[in-house]
Amino acid sequence: MKLEEKLLEQYFDVIEKNGNTENQIQEFLEENTIFIPMPFLLNHYLHMNCVISKFKLGNEFVTDFAYLTKSSDYWEFVLVELEDAKRRFLQMIRKIFIFTQSLIMHMIRLHLGRHMSIKIEKQFFIK
């Protein structure tokens, strides 16, 4: 097994294992920073190739990760908070996302059905 495959297998073991706490997942991500979610990277990517772990927001709050990214003269400071996928809030968001995804697929099919016959593959959408 290649190193990449082994690392990916470890990632899914940590993420999908029911007994793992947020701290255990955080420790794995700190050791394997390639898996830290960074959906908001801008053109110049990760500033100084640095991710801050446990960034404090005053005396009350602590984020799981934070990073700085930029595009020319525009900067974004991104705060990342890990949450358990089984939490009720995230389940509600997932239902809304699935509904929106279905609606978009339906609208695309209607539009394309009127103009041409193209088959839309579901693989382009997140499940």
Side-chain angles (χ1 to χ4, degrees), residues 14-42:
V14 169
I15 296 299
E16 294 175 349
K17 190 174 181 182
N18 288 334
N20 280 346
T21 65
E22 184 179 318
N23 285 334
Q24 289 170 310
I25 294 171
Q26 170 117 15
E27 286 174 18
F28 176 83
L29 293 174
E30 287 175 7
E31 293 169 11
N32 303 282
T33 56
I34 192 164
F35 295 113
I36 294 175
M38 293 186 206
F40 302 108
L41 287 179
L42 298 175

Short mmCIF file of all heavy atoms in Angstrom, two decimals, residues 14-42:
data_model
loop_
_atom_site.label_atom_id
_atom_site.label_comp_id
_atom_site.label_asym_id
_atom_site.label_seq_id
_atom_site.Cartn_x
_atom_site.Cartn_y
_atom_site.Cartn_z
N VAL A 14 -10.23 7.93 11.30
CA VAL A 14 -10.37 8.95 12.35
C VAL A 14 -11.69 9.69 12.21
O VAL A 14 -12.40 9.90 13.19
CB VAL A 14 -9.18 9.94 12.29
CG1 VAL A 14 -9.44 11.16 13.17
CG2 VAL A 14 -7.91 9.25 12.70
N ILE A 15 -12.04 10.08 11.00
CA ILE A 15 -13.24 10.88 10.77
C ILE A 15 -14.52 10.07 11.00
O ILE A 15 -15.48 10.55 11.60
CB ILE A 15 -13.24 11.45 9.33
CG1 ILE A 15 -12.08 12.42 9.13
CG2 ILE A 15 -14.57 12.13 9.01
CD1 ILE A 15 -12.09 13.63 10.03
N GLU A 16 -14.54 8.83 10.56
CA GLU A 16 -15.77 8.05 10.59
C GLU A 16 -15.96 7.23 11.87
O GLU A 16 -17.05 6.74 12.13
CB GLU A 16 -15.83 7.12 9.37
CG GLU A 16 -15.95 7.89 8.08
CD GLU A 16 -15.89 7.01 6.85
OE1 GLU A 16 -15.54 5.81 6.97
OE2 GLU A 16 -16.18 7.52 5.76
N LYS A 17 -14.92 7.09 12.68
CA LYS A 17 -15.03 6.30 13.89
C LYS A 17 -15.93 7.00 14.90
O LYS A 17 -15.70 8.16 15.24
CB LYS A 17 -13.64 6.06 14.49
CG LYS A 17 -13.61 5.07 15.61
CD LYS A 17 -12.18 4.80 16.02
CE LYS A 17 -12.14 3.77 17.13
NZ LYS A 17 -10.76 3.54 17.56
N ASN A 18 -16.95 6.31 15.36
CA ASN A 18 -17.95 6.91 16.25
C ASN A 18 -17.39 7.40 17.58
O ASN A 18 -17.85 8.38 18.12
CB ASN A 18 -19.09 5.92 16.50
CG ASN A 18 -19.96 5.76 15.29
OD1 ASN A 18 -20.04 6.65 14.45
ND2 ASN A 18 -20.61 4.61 15.18
N GLY A 19 -16.39 6.73 18.12
CA GLY A 19 -15.90 7.07 19.44
C GLY A 19 -14.90 8.22 19.48
O GLY A 19 -14.55 8.70 20.54
N ASN A 20 -14.44 8.69 18.33
CA ASN A 20 -13.42 9.73 18.32
C ASN A 20 -14.00 11.08 18.74
O ASN A 20 -15.08 11.47 18.30
CB ASN A 20 -12.79 9.87 16.94
CG ASN A 20 -11.75 8.81 16.69
OD1 ASN A 20 -11.32 8.13 17.61
ND2 ASN A 20 -11.34 8.65 15.46
N THR A 21 -13.26 11.76 19.58
CA THR A 21 -13.68 13.09 20.04
C THR A 21 -13.15 14.14 19.06
O THR A 21 -12.29 13.86 18.23
CB THR A 21 -13.11 13.39 21.43
OG1 THR A 21 -11.68 13.47 21.34
CG2 THR A 21 -13.53 12.33 22.45
N GLU A 22 -13.66 15.35 19.22
CA GLU A 22 -13.18 16.46 18.40
C GLU A 22 -11.68 16.66 18.58
O GLU A 22 -10.96 16.94 17.64
CB GLU A 22 -13.95 17.73 18.76
CG GLU A 22 -13.60 18.92 17.89
CD GLU A 22 -14.38 20.15 18.26
OE1 GLU A 22 -15.60 20.05 18.52
OE2 GLU A 22 -13.76 21.24 18.30
N ASN A 23 -11.19 16.50 19.82
CA ASN A 23 -9.76 16.67 20.08
C ASN A 23 -8.91 15.62 19.37
O ASN A 23 -7.82 15.92 18.90
CB ASN A 23 -9.47 16.65 21.59
CG ASN A 23 -9.88 17.94 22.25
OD1 ASN A 23 -9.92 18.99 21.62
ND2 ASN A 23 -10.23 17.86 23.53
N GLN A 24 -9.40 14.38 19.29
CA GLN A 24 -8.67 13.34 18.58
C GLN A 24 -8.59 13.65 17.08
O GLN A 24 -7.55 13.47 16.46
CB GLN A 24 -9.33 11.97 18.79
CG GLN A 24 -9.15 11.45 20.20
CD GLN A 24 -10.00 10.22 20.45
OE1 GLN A 24 -11.20 10.21 20.18
NE2 GLN A 24 -9.38 9.18 21.00
N ILE A 25 -9.70 14.15 16.55
CA ILE A 25 -9.70 14.53 15.13
C ILE A 25 -8.78 15.71 14.92
O ILE A 25 -8.00 15.74 13.96
CB ILE A 25 -11.15 14.84 14.67
CG1 ILE A 25 -11.99 13.56 14.71
CG2 ILE A 25 -11.16 15.45 13.28
CD1 ILE A 25 -13.47 13.78 14.50
N GLN A 26 -8.82 16.67 15.83
CA GLN A 26 -7.94 17.85 15.73
C GLN A 26 -6.47 17.44 15.75
O GLN A 26 -5.68 17.92 14.95
CB GLN A 26 -8.24 18.81 16.88
CG GLN A 26 -7.22 19.95 16.99
CD GLN A 26 -7.82 21.30 16.78
OE1 GLN A 26 -9.02 21.45 16.81
NE2 GLN A 26 -6.99 22.27 16.53
N GLU A 27 -6.11 16.54 16.64
CA GLU A 27 -4.72 16.07 16.71
C GLU A 27 -4.29 15.42 15.40
O GLU A 27 -3.18 15.67 14.91
CB GLU A 27 -4.56 15.06 17.85
CG GLU A 27 -4.58 15.69 19.22
CD GLU A 27 -4.57 14.66 20.34
OE1 GLU A 27 -4.22 13.49 20.09
OE2 GLU A 27 -4.93 15.02 21.47
N PHE A 28 -5.16 14.60 14.82
CA PHE A 28 -4.84 13.96 13.54
C PHE A 28 -4.63 15.02 12.46
O PHE A 28 -3.67 14.95 11.69
CB PHE A 28 -5.94 12.99 13.11
CG PHE A 28 -5.69 12.39 11.76
CD1 PHE A 28 -4.84 11.29 11.63
CD2 PHE A 28 -6.26 12.93 10.62
CE1 PHE A 28 -4.58 10.75 10.37
CE2 PHE A 28 -6.02 12.39 9.37
CZ PHE A 28 -5.17 11.30 9.25
N LEU A 29 -5.51 16.03 12.41
CA LEU A 29 -5.40 17.07 11.40
C LEU A 29 -4.14 17.91 11.60
O LEU A 29 -3.51 18.34 10.62
CB LEU A 29 -6.65 17.95 11.40
CG LEU A 29 -7.93 17.27 10.94
CD1 LEU A 29 -9.13 18.21 11.12
CD2 LEU A 29 -7.84 16.79 9.51
N GLU A 30 -3.76 18.15 12.84
CA GLU A 30 -2.53 18.91 13.10
C GLU A 30 -1.30 18.14 12.62
O GLU A 30 -0.34 18.73 12.13
CB GLU A 30 -2.40 19.21 14.59
CG GLU A 30 -3.36 20.28 15.06
CD GLU A 30 -3.32 20.49 16.56
OE1 GLU A 30 -2.47 19.90 17.25
OE2 GLU A 30 -4.16 21.25 17.05
N GLU A 31 -1.34 16.82 12.74
CA GLU A 31 -0.22 16.00 12.28
C GLU A 31 -0.25 15.79 10.77
O GLU A 31 0.78 15.50 10.16
CB GLU A 31 -0.25 14.63 12.98
CG GLU A 31 0.03 14.71 14.46
CD GLU A 31 -0.25 13.41 15.18
OE1 GLU A 31 -0.45 12.38 14.50
OE2 GLU A 31 -0.29 13.42 16.41
N ASN A 32 -1.43 15.93 10.16
CA ASN A 32 -1.61 15.69 8.72
C ASN A 32 -2.36 16.87 8.13
O ASN A 32 -3.53 16.77 7.76
CB ASN A 32 -2.38 14.38 8.49
CG ASN A 32 -1.68 13.22 9.14
OD1 ASN A 32 -0.70 12.71 8.62
ND2 ASN A 32 -2.17 12.81 10.30
N THR A 33 -1.69 18.01 8.05
CA THR A 33 -2.34 19.28 7.69
C THR A 33 -2.96 19.29 6.29
O THR A 33 -3.79 20.14 6.00
CB THR A 33 -1.35 20.45 7.82
OG1 THR A 33 -0.21 20.17 7.00
CG2 THR A 33 -0.94 20.66 9.26
N ILE A 34 -2.59 18.35 5.45
CA ILE A 34 -3.17 18.30 4.11
C ILE A 34 -4.69 18.09 4.16
O ILE A 34 -5.42 18.46 3.25
CB ILE A 34 -2.49 17.22 3.24
CG1 ILE A 34 -2.90 17.37 1.80
CG2 ILE A 34 -2.82 15.83 3.76
CD1 ILE A 34 -2.05 16.64 0.83
N PHE A 35 -5.20 17.53 5.26
CA PHE A 35 -6.63 17.25 5.39
C PHE A 35 -7.43 18.37 6.04
O PHE A 35 -8.64 18.27 6.18
CB PHE A 35 -6.85 15.95 6.18
CG PHE A 35 -6.34 14.73 5.47
CD1 PHE A 35 -5.26 14.03 5.99
CD2 PHE A 35 -6.91 14.30 4.30
CE1 PHE A 35 -4.78 12.89 5.35
CE2 PHE A 35 -6.43 13.17 3.63
CZ PHE A 35 -5.37 12.47 4.16
N ILE A 36 -6.77 19.44 6.47
CA ILE A 36 -7.49 20.55 7.09
C ILE A 36 -8.35 21.21 6.02
O ILE A 36 -7.84 21.58 4.95
CB ILE A 36 -6.52 21.57 7.72
CG1 ILE A 36 -5.78 20.94 8.90
CG2 ILE A 36 -7.29 22.82 8.19
CD1 ILE A 36 -4.72 21.81 9.51
N PRO A 37 -9.64 21.34 6.27
CA PRO A 37 -10.52 21.94 5.25
C PRO A 37 -10.18 23.41 5.02
O PRO A 37 -10.11 24.18 5.97
CB PRO A 37 -11.92 21.78 5.85
CG PRO A 37 -11.71 21.54 7.29
CD PRO A 37 -10.35 20.97 7.47
N MET A 38 -9.94 23.77 3.75
CA MET A 38 -9.62 25.15 3.40
C MET A 38 -10.39 25.56 2.14
O MET A 38 -9.82 25.78 1.10
CB MET A 38 -8.12 25.29 3.16
CG MET A 38 -7.29 25.10 4.38
SD MET A 38 -5.57 25.46 4.05
CE MET A 38 -4.81 24.46 5.30
N PRO A 39 -11.70 25.65 2.27
CA PRO A 39 -12.49 25.96 1.08
C PRO A 39 -12.41 27.41 0.61
O PRO A 39 -12.85 27.72 -0.48
CB PRO A 39 -13.92 25.62 1.53
CG PRO A 39 -13.90 25.86 3.00
CD PRO A 39 -12.53 25.44 3.44
N PHE A 40 -11.85 28.28 1.42
CA PHE A 40 -11.87 29.70 1.09
C PHE A 40 -10.52 30.24 0.64
O PHE A 40 -10.28 31.44 0.70
CB PHE A 40 -12.38 30.51 2.29
CG PHE A 40 -13.75 30.09 2.71
CD1 PHE A 40 -13.93 29.37 3.88
CD2 PHE A 40 -14.85 30.37 1.92
CE1 PHE A 40 -15.20 28.96 4.27
CE2 PHE A 40 -16.12 29.96 2.30
CZ PHE A 40 -16.30 29.26 3.48
N LEU A 41 -9.62 29.38 0.19
CA LEU A 41 -8.32 29.86 -0.27
C LEU A 41 -8.48 30.76 -1.48
O LEU A 41 -9.21 30.45 -2.42
CB LEU A 41 -7.40 28.68 -0.62
CG LEU A 41 -6.86 27.88 0.54
CD1 LEU A 41 -5.99 26.73 0.03
CD2 LEU A 41 -6.06 28.74 1.50
N LEU A 42 -7.78 31.87 -1.46
CA LEU A 42 -7.81 32.82 -2.58
C LEU A 42 -6.61 32.56 -3.51
O LEU A 42 -5.90 31.58 -3.35
CB LEU A 42 -7.80 34.25 -2.04
CG LEU A 42 -9.01 34.60 -1.16
CD1 LEU A 42 -8.86 35.98 -0.56
CD2 LEU A 42 -10.31 34.50 -1.95
#
